[in-house]
Amino acid sequence: ALPWATPQKAGTVMVAGDTTIVHGGTYAALGGGFENPAIRPTNDGIPGSPITFQAASGEIVNLDCQNVGEAAIGSRKNYTTIKGFTVS
C-alpha cells in the first residue's frame, strides 16, 4: 500500500485503535475555520483504543497554522492522541 500525503487523509479512514506514523515535514491547516485544520479525525477512538497520530522516531513533524490563523488540530472526537508534534 502507498502512504498518504497528509495526516488529514489518514484521519478520514482511521478507526478506534489505529495509529498513523507521520513522517517529518510541515503540514499546514487548510484555513476556513475550525472545520479545516491540519488534523481532524472522522471517527472517535474508544477507552483503551484511541486514534493516535504519532511523529516518526527522530523526525520533526510540525503543524503550521501561522498563515491562516486557524486551529492546527480540530479533533472534536473522543479519545484522539497526538504524540511528538510541534505546533506553530
Side-chain angles (χ1 to χ4, degrees), residues 14-19 43-53 78-83:
M14 294 172 72
V15 296
D18 285 349
T19 297
N43 299 304
D44 288 307
I46 59 173
S49 294
I51 289 174
T52 302
F53 295 87
N78 296 310
Y79 303 100
T80 299
T81 303
I82 311 291
K83 295 181 179 180

